[in-house]
Amino acid sequence: MSSKVAVVTGSNKGIGFAIVRGLCNRYEGVVYLTSRDVEKGEKAVADLKKEGLSPKYHQLDITDIKSVEIFSSYIKASYGGIDILVNNAAITFIENAMESVAVQAEKTLFVNYFSTLSTCEQLFPLLRDGARVVNVSSSSALLKYIPSENLRQRFLDPSLTIPELSNLMREYVDAAKMGTHVGEWGISPYVVSKIGINALTKIQQRLLNDQDIKVNSVHPGFVDTDMTTQKGHQTINECAQAPLYLALDAPDSVKGKFVWSNMWIVAWEA
């Protein structure tokens, strides 16, 4: 029950896999690699064990509340809490995807924002004193990519609540379904979803300011993975460095921030 615990969502491949690798190499605690697909997750664990590392595995599908509840109950019963949580699981559609913008918007926001939020709601009660949360974001998660000044100001409201932010995300999905989104929201569901993650990070930290818990978001870099259709120029290990910095090395003063791949704090509202 006393072991320190690190959890990385969506970590059977890509940056999440490299974050698990980095934690296994450096973290003095139990590291959980999680994935939606059990077979893929167990293979990823086996691959890391070939490197002499010792991650543990548990199935976790952030889009399935029952899966999240089972995982939460398991961690609570087995360890009593969580010390590092890396919210990495996310999706994006390829550039020339055949799905309509309406479908892309609904699915992208459901996974990247709403499912991350529901996972946090289940796992945050398990965060122990000194815990660190890393929400994986993107270089595209800057408010300048939202054309509407009114929308930008709503995101920047210092008293913005999670229900209000969720309503903003629903407004975007509704606009995409009506085909009226471009003028105010821009063209990318992924951008909106990650702006939502940056805004959520700010709110989460504000709500936890009276506790010794740090919540930050991070642009890990432009990685050569399936998500970027191999257009990225960095390796997964390179892109794991900034998330690992926030999980392990950042000063306690770094909280509620958006950190770039070079470990610089960025003004996401710029």
Side-chain angles (χ1 to χ4, degrees), residues 14-192:
I15 295 172
F17 179 81
I19 294 171
V20 170
R21 175 189 278 138
L23 288 170
C24 285
N25 274 309
R26 294 189 52 204
Y27 187 56
E28 295 182 357
V30 177
V31 181
Y32 269 89
L33 184 153
T34 70
S35 66
R36 179 178 54 188
D37 185 292
V38 172
E39 183 177 348
K40 291 178 180 178
E42 290 179 343
K43 181 184 182 302
V45 166
D47 288 342
L48 289 174
K49 286 184 175 179
K50 291 175 184 176
E51 299 178 14
L53 304 175
S54 301
K56 290 187 178 294
Y57 176 73
H58 200 287
Q59 193 273 346
L60 176 61
D61 180 354
I62 69 166
T63 69
D64 179 352
I65 190 61
K66 186 64 176 177
S67 172
V68 180
E69 290 173 347
I70 290 171
F71 179 72
S72 176
S73 296
Y74 168 79
I75 292 293
K76 183 176 182 180
S78 300
Y79 305 99
I82 294 172
D83 302 279
I84 293 174
L85 172 61
V86 182
N87 288 307
N88 171 73
I91 66 166
T92 190
F93 284 81
I94 62 173
E95 187 174 340
N96 297 315
M98 299 301 294
E99 293 86 350
S100 68
V101 172
V103 169
Q104 292 185 44
E106 187 164 42
K107 289 188 175 181
T108 303
L109 271 289
F110 172 66
V111 177
N112 295 5
Y113 174 79
F114 288 104
S115 296
T116 296
L117 172 59
S118 62
T119 299
C120 289
E121 289 172 343
Q122 289 292 319
L123 298 184
F124 270 32
L126 300 182
L127 295 175
R128 289 190 273 236
D129 286 346
R132 295 185 172 207
V133 178
V134 182
N135 294 326
V136 177
S137 185
S138 167
S139 61
S140 62
L142 300 173
L143 272 183
K144 68 181 181 180
Y145 296 122
I146 299 290
S148 167
E149 172 66 20
N150 176 61
L151 286 174
R152 292 197 298 270
Q153 290 306 313
R154 290 173 66 189
F155 277 109
L156 289 172
D157 182 349
S159 62
L160 183 68
T161 65
I162 289 176
E164 289 169 344
L165 175 59
S166 294
N167 283 336
L168 268 170
M169 298 290 96
R170 292 186 189 98
E171 286 180 28
Y172 165 69
V173 174
D174 289 343
K177 289 180 177 179
M178 292 186 292
T180 60
H181 59 290
V182 175
E184 292 195 326
W185 291 94
I187 62 173
S188 171
Y190 185 76
V191 167
V192 176

